[in-house]
Amino acid sequence: MKTILKLAIVFVFALCCRAQENITVINEKSNPKLIVGIVVDQMRYDYLTRFYDKYGDGGFKRLMNEGFNCKNNHFNYVPTSTGPGHASVYTGTTPKYHGVIGNDWYDKELKTMVYCAGDDSVQSVGAETSDGQMSPHRMKTTTFGDENRLFTQMQGKTIGISIKDRGAILPAGHTANAAYWFYGKDKGHFITSSFYMDNLPEWVVDFNNSNTAKFYLRTWDTFYDIETYTESGDDKNTFEGTFNGKETATFPYDLNALKDKNGGFDIIKTTPYGNSVVADFAIAAIKGESLGKDSVTDVLAVSFSSTDYVGHQFGVNSKEVEDTYIRLDKDLERLLKELDLLVGSGEYTVFLTADHAAIDVPAYLQSVHVPAGYVNSRMHYQKIREFMTNEFGDEALIESISNNQLFLDREKIKALDLDLDDVQEAIVNELITYPNIYKAYTATIMSTTSYTEGIEYLLEKGFNQKRSGDVLYVYDPSYISYGRTGSTHGSGFNYDTHAPLLFFGKGIKQGETFKRTEITDIAPTMSALLGISFPNAAIGNPLEFVLE
């Protein structure tokens, strides 16, 4: 009897162990080994469709045709710029909560402008300048990478990579193993800060010593015959900026000859080769950090920022932008092939989106009779300060004007026995009379009113009660405060908010939708895929229809 009982116990124990093994196998199979988040800086949704016939089968088309394409994806706040964009993609919330209200903003406590990733308490690693004094300390909330690190007891790695420091730092989050960004000038190296480490890893030193960036100081000409670039405007026109030392913004560009007048290796940033060196470094990181090599999910955040530099200089409709996306498509194909090889086909998940889109050059829009133009912001600043003197006796009641916001000196207002709400409202009523001011609102309205649609909804989601200004204003559609060449961004209009959103790989369905999705849905979707906590202030929802 005892023998039978012992055998039964052994049998049950074996079944339990086998079941546990099966559970382990199921769990391992359920999660991708690596999440790769790709943000393409200043990418409009229509770049997917406009240049579609120029793309190969292994880059954008592979993500679109084998993955899931959210065709009606939008940013749900203002301002649409790089810092807030990268933060919002990975935190699943907006500046209202994560606090990154711009690339730079006026700090009401410090009484000075601050940079979204700037941190004087840390030191540069890999550079002797202040370019490495950066961290995510001004971002108030967690990213899904942070939540994955917490969930896996810090075993899952998180690494951010970009040309721009903020494009690497904010996506990687607070608990990241590393964030690396490109230091051009006389080096052409990737650097980091002491927030992450005291010395660069050997694989980064090896990459920097390989002089990869120097390889890209070559002639930039179109990938295909320029005559076939029928999806963009004439190569020679009056709507584009050019490099110092070159008379016209026309192909080809001899980067080696132009580098000395354009910041040395920094010239690479404003060419498609900036994306190429990021792809090179990302592949080196996958190898050097052994990302996706075990059952614990890692996160790699890659931001391709040269698209933004090229867009700002040459404009949305330029041949330079078209060629940059054609070449980025090749870099994406190369990255995906390396992921297939190093992590395993079907073992990783990718999402691709943007941090904002961009406007067509207003001067070009004017030439084809679309209402557009340029705002004389200096005139606005002068007039509003004159108004403050005439109405309240002191123009210094305005401490700062930045990011289409006015910041008031509340201590002076109190000392003068003025009512803050009355001062704010008076400024709104004055501003709305100025040319090309489309909308204006007080901080009180933004703090007390819940909007569900329109520009007001976007302003509210971008308004941070502690950091934003006392008055917010919006320019007319297609009007910008900018130079007459090149494109910019920042508004809540569709040309700035409509951005691509592609999902691909393990756990992702094949398909497409025209349902509205918002940028804050990405992080909750990744969290749901991994079965981890949502970022702590996420307001987005998991996109169930993209998940298997």
Side-chain angles (χ1 to χ4, degrees):
M1 184 71 179
K2 290 182 178 179
T3 302
I4 294 174
L5 183 59
K6 287 180 179 179
L7 289 172
I9 292 172
V10 170
F11 179 70
V12 171
F13 180 74
L15 284 177
C16 289
C17 290
R18 186 62 179 271
Q20 184 61 44
E21 288 176 5
N22 288 339
I23 290 171
T24 302
V25 170
I26 290 169
N27 285 341
E28 287 182 1
K29 287 184 177 180
S30 64
N31 280 359
K33 294 181 177 180
L34 178 64
I35 300 284
V36 181
I38 299 174
V39 175
V40 183
D41 204 324
Q42 203 189 116
M43 185 175 183
R44 292 162 56 111
Y45 173 80
D46 63 3
Y47 289 160
L48 288 177
T49 53
R50 192 170 127 205
F51 305 139
Y52 186 85
D53 290 340
K54 291 291 191 297
Y55 295 144
D57 293 328
F60 286 117
K61 282 185 179 179
R62 183 180 178 190
L63 298 178
M64 294 168 71
N65 297 332
E66 297 180 26
F68 201 99
N69 186 357
C70 298
K71 297 183 174 184
N72 189 24
N73 181 64
H74 289 266
F75 281 84
N76 55 346
Y77 62 85
V78 174
T80 43
S81 53
T82 300
H86 283 81
S88 298
V89 167
Y90 283 84
T91 63
T93 191
T94 68
K96 181 176 183 177
Y97 300 106
H98 62 59
V100 182
I101 64 170
N103 293 334
D104 306 88
W105 63 85
Y106 181 73
D107 189 301
K108 292 187 280 191
E109 293 182 8
L110 298 176
K111 306 296 184 184
T112 188
M113 295 295 292
V114 296
Y115 176 56
C116 64
D119 188 348
D120 292 338
S121 72
V122 300
Q123 300 303 313
S124 301
V125 176
E128 297 176 355
T129 64
S130 62
D131 296 79
Q133 290 186 276
M134 305 288 169
S135 84
H137 76 109
R138 287 196 169 94
M139 184 170 67
K140 294 293 188 180
T141 62
T142 62
T143 66
F144 79 82
D146 286 326
E147 297 298 336
N148 186 62
R149 291 274 287 159
L150 295 170
F151 182 84
T152 63
Q153 302 302 309
M154 302 296 170
Q155 293 180 69
K157 292 183 177 181
T158 298
I159 293 177
I161 296 168
S162 179
I163 284 285
K164 296 179 179 179
D165 46 53
R166 59 188 180 273
I169 291 167
L170 299 175
H174 302 278
T175 62
N177 300 82
Y180 301 103
W181 53 96
F182 187 73
Y183 175 80
K185 302 179 183 177
D186 61 334
K187 299 293 185 185
H189 288 175
F190 280 86
I191 66 172
T192 187
S193 88
S194 60
F195 179 84
Y196 306 99
M197 63 192 71
D198 295 325
N199 297 288
L200 292 174
E202 185 176 348
W203 69 266
V204 177
V205 174
D206 290 343
F207 183 91
N208 287 339
N209 289 340
S210 71
N211 291 318
T212 301
K214 189 174 182 179
F215 171 75
Y216 293 113
L217 287 175
R218 53 186 179 179
T219 298
W220 174 24
D221 207 346
T222 53
F223 189 85
Y224 299 116
D225 184 342
I226 195 169
E227 297 302 321
T228 68
Y229 283 28
T230 55
E231 298 82 6
S232 47
D234 294 336
D235 189 31
K236 188 174 183 179
N237 58 71
T238 60
F239 312 122
E240 302 175 17
T242 187
F243 293 109
N244 294 328
K246 195 172 191 307
E247 291 185 5
T248 60
T250 54
F251 285 103
Y253 298 92
D254 186 341
L255 303 184
N256 193 49
L258 293 168
K259 70 178 187 303
D260 291 340
K261 293 184 178 181
N262 293 274
F265 283 99
D266 278 338
I267 194 173
I268 293 174
K269 297 178 181 179
T270 315
T271 76
Y273 301 134
N275 294 328
S276 299
V277 77
V278 166
D280 294 337
F281 191 77
I283 291 168
I286 296 168
K287 296 175 181 177
E289 297 289 344
S290 299
L291 299 180
K293 285 298 186 182
D294 56 32
S295 59
V296 181
T297 304
D298 298 319
V299 176
L300 176 63
V302 182
S303 177
F304 291 106
S305 301
S306 288
T307 42
D308 184 66
Y309 288 103
V310 173
H312 275 293
Q313 181 149 313
F314 298 100
V316 162
N317 201 44
S318 64
K319 297 248 190 284
E320 286 80 1
V321 161
E322 178 168 0
D323 192 69
T324 296
Y325 278 89
I326 289 170
R327 290 179 181 273
L328 175 58
D329 181 61
K330 305 301 180 186
D331 286 323
L332 288 174
E333 179 175 5
R334 186 161 57 92
L335 178 58
L336 292 173
K337 284 182 177 179
E338 289 291 339
L339 287 167
D340 289 340
L341 179 66
L342 298 171
V343 182
S345 180
E347 295 295 335
Y348 61 90
T349 304
V350 174
F351 69 81
L352 183 147
T353 187
D355 57 347
H356 54 75
I359 187 176
D360 256 304
V361 179
Y364 166 70
L365 293 177
Q366 289 174 330
S367 74
V368 292
H369 309 297
V370 174
Y374 298 89
V375 176
N376 188 342
S377 57
R378 288 185 179 180
M379 181 268 287
H380 288 171
Y381 297 167
Q382 181 180 346
K383 285 187 67 176
I384 197 63
R385 292 189 185 280
E386 290 174 356
F387 169 78
M388 297 301 286
T389 300
N390 296 333
E391 188 75 10
F392 301 108
D394 192 352
E395 72 165 39
L397 290 177
I398 297 177
E399 284 188 342
S400 176
I401 303 176
S402 59
N403 295 328
N404 285 18
Q405 299 178 37
L406 277 79
F407 295 79
L408 297 176
D409 187 330
R410 297 192 176 193
E411 292 181 3
K412 283 190 176 182
I413 288 173
K414 188 175 182 180
L416 292 172
D417 199 26
L418 296 171
D419 183 85
L420 178 63
D421 290 349
D422 289 344
V423 175
Q424 291 178 351
E425 192 64 36
I427 293 172
V428 165
N429 291 333
E430 172 69 11
L431 279 175
I432 204 65
T433 66
Y434 295 175
N436 308 123
I437 297 290
Y438 188 58
K439 301 273 188 178
Y441 295 95
T442 67
T444 301
I445 289 293
M446 286 294 115
S447 299
T448 59
T449 307
S450 180
Y451 296 99
T452 59
E453 62 183 8
I455 294 294
E456 294 81 3
Y457 167 77
L458 303 181
L459 285 170
E460 183 204 340
K461 289 291 183 289
F463 178 80
N464 185 280
Q465 196 169 10
K466 291 195 72 170
R467 292 182 173 178
S468 295
D470 289 277
V471 173
L472 296 76
Y473 55 93
V474 177
Y475 295 140
D476 283 337
S478 297
Y479 275 76
I480 59 176
S481 177
Y482 199 69
R484 294 188 66 83
T485 59
S487 295
T488 192
H489 49 84
S491 81
F493 296 109
N494 283 330
Y495 49 74
D496 282 337
T497 68
H498 191 191
L501 178 55
L502 306 174
F503 294 95
F504 168 85
K506 190 165 190 175
I508 303 299
K509 290 180 181 177
Q510 183 179 5
E512 60 185 34
T513 185
F514 282 107
K515 292 180 182 178
R516 182 182 174 92
T517 59
E518 296 187 331
I519 211 72
T520 49
D521 296 329
I522 297 171
T525 301
M526 291 296 98
S527 294
L529 176 66
L530 297 178
I532 63 176
S533 295
F534 291 7
N536 59 15
I539 62 171
N541 296 301
L543 301 176
E544 296 180 66
F545 47 84
V546 312
L547 300 176
E548 288 184 338

